[in-house]
């Protein structure tokens, strides 16, 4: 199966990858779903919706503080590195990601489309000031919720898309344009149950792309795929990169 995936990618002219939380699991960042996922610990609507954030930013930040510490210290793993190498070698056009951790960019991927925003910056909803997440993270030790250093407001929100918020239009449009042009669509580390992100491979298939799924567990899209590999992305992707000489 790894050989078949490598053969498809080696001959592709416009291969695009969609990544999910699973690609960062081996960097120590918990996924939402699947074994050990965050949803087994928290109620998603309570911790990750815009309504609950606006009602009580301190509660949001108490949970986010723990996740931020993990995400800010995480390093890209061999899976991120393999995708960056495939792009550099001309075998991948772009990375469309549901992740907000910024690890694709750290590992050297150049064209990264973030469908759910970035957790690396924080915006004050009152005055609009943008700050690095690391600066806000440091202040969480002394103030909860954190205050804006510009206006003193207490509605500082990471620039991620919370439940109930609109998706970033430019990123969505770019992702679907890429999907329509794709001849190979690779999906890595996503449960493929979050929409509209899961529509990206669907649009690619409808436009004639071959689908490759690499995930620790079965996904609802496995039956549409030319190749399905149930495994860890940090092991499977470097093997594919090696086979195609990336
Ligand atoms: P998900 O949590 O729904 O699914 C992750 C999938 O990855 C699961 O099916 C799991 O079996 C698989 N997986 C776990 N470890 C793996 C590994 N080593 N190799 C391959 N597969 C592995 O994630 P999703 O589909 O991305 O959707 C959930 C939402 O979670 C997204 O909207 C995303 O914004 C958000 N999220 C992001 C991060 C992050 O930025 N790293 C972390 C958690 C959640």
């Amino acid at each position: 199966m790894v050989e078949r995936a490598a053969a498809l990618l080696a001959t592709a002219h416009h291969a695009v990858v969609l990544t999910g939380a699973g690609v960062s699991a081996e960097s120590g960042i918990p996924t939402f779903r699947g074994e050990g996922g965050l949803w087994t610990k928290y109620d998603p609507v309570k911790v990750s919706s815009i309504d609950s954030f606006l009602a009580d930013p301190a509660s949001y930040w108490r949970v986010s503080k723990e996740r931020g510490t993990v995400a800010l210290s995480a390093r890209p793993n061999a899976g991120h590195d393999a995708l960056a190498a495939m792009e550099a070698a001309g075998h991948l056009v772009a990375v469309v990601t549901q992740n907000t951790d910024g690890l694709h960019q750290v590992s050297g991927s150049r064209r990264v489309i973030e469908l759910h925003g970035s957790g690396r910056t924080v915006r004050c909803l009152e005055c609009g000031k943008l700050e690095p997440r690391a600066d806000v993270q440091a202040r969480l030790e002394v103030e909860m919720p954190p205050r804006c250093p510009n206006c003193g407001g207490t509605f500082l929100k990471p620039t991620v898309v919370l439940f109930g918020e609109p998706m970033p239009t430019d990123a969505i449009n770019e992702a679907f344009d890429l999907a329509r042009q794709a001849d190979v669509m690779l999906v890595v580390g996503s449960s493929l149950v979050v929409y509209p992100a899961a529509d990206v491979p669907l649009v690619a298939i409808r436009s004639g792309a071959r689908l490759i799924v690499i995930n620790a567990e079965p996904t609802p899209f496995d039956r549409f795929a030319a190749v399905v590999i149930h495994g860890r992305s940090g092991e499977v992707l470097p093997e594919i990169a090696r086979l195609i000489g990336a």
Side-chain angles (χ1 to χ4, degrees):
M1 278 301 162
V2 175
E3 288 77 9
R4 175 105 181 91
L8 282 177
L9 282 164
T11 52
H13 297 290
H14 199 280
V16 176
V17 62
L18 171 71
T19 65
V23 85
S24 293
E26 288 158 81
S27 294
I29 302 179
T31 58
F32 276 180
R33 297 168 193 80
E35 214 185 313
L38 286 167
W39 286 169
T40 58
K41 215 170 150 191
Y42 302 112
D43 174 347
V45 178
K46 277 201 186 129
V47 299
S48 289
S49 75
I50 186 66
D51 288 347
S52 62
F53 170 81
L54 293 173
D56 185 1
S59 290
Y60 172 88
W61 277 105
R62 273 191 282 275
V63 174
S64 188
K65 180 182 175 190
E66 186 190 328
R67 278 159 53 188
T69 305
V70 173
L72 287 172
S73 60
R75 300 289 309 152
N77 63 57
H80 296 106
D81 293 345
L83 291 175
M86 286 187 216
E87 183 187 0
H91 293 296
L92 262 187
V93 172
V95 179
V96 177
T97 188
Q98 299 170 80
N99 296 344
T100 56
D101 56 39
L103 290 182
H104 286 300
Q105 293 91 327
V106 176
S107 79
S109 287
R110 285 188 299 260
R111 189 168 175 193
V112 181
I113 295 103
E114 294 177 312
L115 294 179
H116 297 157
S118 169
R120 298 219 163 214
T121 50
V122 173
R123 175 177 284 116
C124 171
L125 297 188
E126 288 170 70
C127 73
K129 182 180 168 62
L130 273 179
E131 279 188 275
R133 165 71 190 234
D135 293 0
V136 178
Q137 188 73 20
R139 296 207 298 282
L140 294 176
E141 296 303 330
V142 290
E143 56 184 20
M144 189 63 82
R147 284 188 173 277
C148 175
N150 187 45
C151 73
T154 53
F155 291 93
L156 301 191
K157 192 186 87 59
T159 53
V160 297
V161 178
L162 296 181
F163 287 110
E165 284 195 295
M167 310 270 292
T169 313
D170 289 353
I172 289 286
N173 289 343
E174 191 176 357
F176 284 112
D177 282 348
L178 284 162
R180 275 186 285 272
Q181 295 164 43
D183 52 3
V184 169
M185 181 87 220
L186 174 63
V187 178
V188 186
S190 175
S191 58
L192 288 172
V193 297
V194 177
Y195 285 84
D199 276 328
V200 172
L202 215 51
V203 165
I205 297 165
R206 286 206 191 109
S207 307
R210 311 295 301 278
L211 178 67
I212 303 170
V213 176
I214 300 170
N215 203 56
E217 297 168 317
T219 79
F221 281 56
D222 290 4
R223 64 201 170 104
F224 304 124
V227 182
V228 178
I229 302 172
H230 291 147
R232 291 156 66 92
S233 51
E235 293 165 8
V236 177
L237 288 172
E239 181 61 11
I240 293 175
R242 189 186 63 76
L243 287 170
I244 62 178

